[in-house]
Amino acid sequence: MSIFDDDFYSTKVSRRTVRKSQQDDHRLSFGGSAERKWSNLRVAFISSFTSAVAAALLFGWIFGGFGGGGSVPVHLTATGDPSERTIVATAKVKPAVVSVINEQMFGLGIGGKRLENGDEGSGVLREAGVGSGVIIEKKAGRAFIVTNYHVVASAEKVKVVLTTGEVREARVVGMDQITDLAVLEIDAKGIDTVAEIGDSSALRAAEFVMAIGNPLGMGESITMGVVSVIKEVIPVSLNQNGVIDWEQEVIRVDAAINQGNSGGPLIDLNGRVVGINSMKISDFGVESIGYAIPINNAMPIVESLISKGYVPRPYLGVYTMDLEQYWEQQDMEKMFEEEEGGDSEKGESSGSGSIQLPDEVLSGVIVLEAVGPSKKAGLSFNDVIVKLDDHKVTSTMELRKYLYSKKKIGEDITVSFYRDGELQSLKLKLEEQAPEEE
C-alpha cells in the first residue's frame, strides 16, 4: 500500500484501468494505415528517450552548456534567495571597503618631549589602531573615504589598505567627534568601485543586513544579521569619562560588529550602504548587539566635512560641568575629609561657598570657563545656566542638543543663569563653531 490513498499518488494500477488500457491499445493506429499495436517495450523506449532529452536540456539550461568541450560561463545574478543575494551584494561593495591604520608617535624623550627622528630616544611612528572605511566618492583625482572619528583620532599619520593589499597614505579631510564620523582622501588612481549610498529610512525590522570590514587589507570580515531596531537613541560619553554629554541615533543590528569592522559599511541585500558601523557606540551594548550610524544622518555630516573640513554648528562658548556632577564631587570631598579626620565644617563651607543657589534649584550647568560669544556677553566662572530662551537646561547634553537642533548660527539666544544666588539673564549672538573650539 502506498503512502497516499488517492489514485493520483498511488504506485499501483487498478485492474479496471489495466483492462481499459488494453482495449484502447486495440483501437490505436499510426498514420491512419494498417492497425499496429504499440508494444510495452516500444512505449518504454520512447518514454525513456524523451525523458533523457528533457533532462539534458534542463541540465544545459541550468549550468550554461552541455558538458564536454567549452561551456558557457555562469554569471552570478541576484535572485529571491537571500543566500545568493548576500553574495552578490557583498561582491558589489567589497572593492570599495578599505582598512584604515592609525599611526601614532611612540618613544618620547625625557619629560615627554618629542625629539627629532634620528636622535637618540626619538619617537617612532607605530600602528596604534586599525579600523575600516568605505569609498563613497571620486572627484578630481581623489577618492573620499568615510570612517569613524575614533578610528583616526590622535593619529600622526593615517594609511589606507585597499582590498588588493596596496597601502596608500591618506589625508584627514575632516573629523566630527559629536557624530563619530571622519572623512579621508587618497589618490583615486586604479580605484574603480565606489559604494552606492542607500536609504536608511527605508529599512524595516527583521530585514537582512551585512557588516563589512577590511582589517589589514584582508577583506574577509563579513558578518550578517537582521535589523533589530530601526531607530534607537543611546547615550554617549564623548570624552570617555563616564559623563553622558550626547545622544546618538543609531540602527541596532544583531550582526556582530567585530574589531576591524568599525568605520566600515552596513549594507542591505542590494549592496547599498545604509549605515556606518561604530565600535565606539557598540561598547554600550552587549553580545550580539551592534550599532551603526544611519547613512541618512551621516551623509550631511560627510558632505560638510568634504566641503568645509568641519561641521558648522551654533557656538555658545562655554566649558561646563553638570550641577549634579558638582554636588557628587562635593559629597566625595566631604567624605574623604571626614575619613582623614579633617574639619568637616570647613569642607562644607568651602563647598557651599563657591556656588550659591536657592534650595529649589537642583539641576543646571556650571560655567567653568567662558570664551568667545559668552565671554563677550558677560558670562563668567561659576555662573549656573538653567535656561536657554524658554527651554529648561538640566545638563550639558541638553544644552548641546538645544543649540544644535533648535538654533542657527547668527541667531540671538537668551541665557538665564544664577550668580551669587540671584537669577539673571543676558542675550548674545551665536557664532560659528570652529574645529579647534569643539
Side-chain angles (χ1 to χ4, degrees), residues 14 20 29 38 98 114 122 135 138 140 216 219 226 236 265 279 281 284 289 304 351 353 361 369 386 418 422:
S14 64
K20 186 177 184 300
S29 62
W38 285 69
V98 302
R114 183 175 300 153
S122 62
I135 302 170
K138 282 173 56 179
L216 298 178
V226 297
V236 175
M279 279 294 292
I281 298 175
F284 287 92
I289 294 182
S304 180
V361 178
E369 183 182 0
V386 292
Y418 280 95
E422 294 184 4

Side-chain angles (χ1 to χ4, degrees), residues 21 52 66 114 139 171 194 282 306 313 372 383-385 433:
S21 177
F66 289 97
R114 183 175 300 153
K139 182 170 60 177
R171 184 181 76 87
V194 173
S282 68
I306 292 175
R313 293 188 176 98
D383 287 344
V384 180
I385 300 173
Q433 183 177 13

Side-chain angles (χ1 to χ4, degrees), residues 210-282:
M210 289 159 286
I212 303 182
N214 184 26
L216 298 178
M218 293 184 295
E220 295 179 348
S221 179
I222 302 172
T223 57
M224 184 176 179
V226 297
V227 175
S228 301
V229 180
I230 300 170
K231 178 180 177 180
E232 183 171 345
V233 178
I234 63 172
V236 175
S237 176
L238 296 175
N239 298 317
Q240 298 296 297
N241 58 1
V243 178
I244 304 304
D245 41 20
W246 187 244
E247 288 181 340
Q248 180 77 289
E249 180 183 326
V250 293
I251 304 165
R252 191 211 294 177
V253 297
D254 71 352
I257 310 295
N258 296 319
Q259 186 175 7
N261 290 71
S262 187
L266 182 76
I267 66 170
D268 59 18
L269 290 185
N270 295 313
R272 302 188 183 111
V273 180
V274 292
I276 302 297
N277 305 320
S278 181
M279 279 294 292
K280 183 177 181 181
I281 298 175
S282 68

Side-chain angles (χ1 to χ4, degrees), residues 34-48:
E35 294 185 0
R36 298 170 60 183
K37 296 180 182 178
W38 285 69
S39 67
N40 291 335
L41 180 60
R42 188 177 299 176
V43 172
F45 174 77
I46 294 175
S47 176
S48 300

Side-chain angles (χ1 to χ4, degrees), residues 158-180:
V158 177
K159 292 181 179 178
V160 164
V161 187
L162 306 180
T163 52
T164 60
E166 181 186 353
V167 181
R168 298 188 184 183
E169 287 196 10
R171 184 181 76 87
V172 178
V173 176
M175 302 189 297
D176 185 54
Q177 185 181 15
I178 295 291
T179 56
D180 194 25

